[in-house]
Amino acid sequence: QEDLIVCVDRVEGLGDFLEMEVQCCEEQETHPALVRLEHMVADMDLKPIRVGYVERWLQKHHPHAYRKGKYHEEPQSSVEAG
């Protein structure tokens, strides 16, 4: 679909990630886009990641620095829309 953007990000020291976004207009309700992404993720048996690559890299390679920062991943029930 035209509003769906899918990218593969290769992050050194972390691996490969599939990034999916649904483009929404400012005045558009985002809930349908979130539901659509949640269904796609579930159909592909993927795990949503809700923190950035910097935070994940610090957590993996420098856990002491990670614990000092504000980088802790908080559990959420839905996928974020871009």
Side-chain angles (χ1 to χ4, degrees):
Q1 295 196 8
E2 293 179 17
D3 61 348
L4 177 65
I5 298 173
V6 178
C7 301
V8 175
D9 295 337
R10 177 162 287 155
V11 182
E12 187 174 334
L14 290 180
D16 298 333
F17 297 86
L18 181 67
E19 180 178 357
M20 299 186 322
E21 298 179 4
V22 175
Q23 297 294 306
C24 299
C25 297
E26 280 190 43
E27 63 277 353
Q28 187 177 358
E29 175 63 39
T30 59
H31 181 73
L34 289 171
V35 170
R36 185 171 153 207
L37 287 172
E38 288 172 345
H39 286 297
M40 286 190 294
V41 167
D43 289 346
M44 291 189 252
D45 196 28
L46 299 174
K47 176 187 172 198
I49 297 175
R50 293 169 175 42
V51 295
Y53 298 136
V54 171
E55 290 84 356
R56 295 195 68 78
W57 192 91
L58 281 171
Q59 184 180 28
K60 181 175 182 178
H61 298 286
H62 294 285
H64 180 71
Y66 173 82
R67 285 190 296 274
K68 283 188 165 191
K70 298 178 182 178
Y71 305 113
H72 298 281
E73 186 171 9
E74 296 182 23
Q76 296 179 4
S77 62
S78 63
V79 177
E80 294 179 19

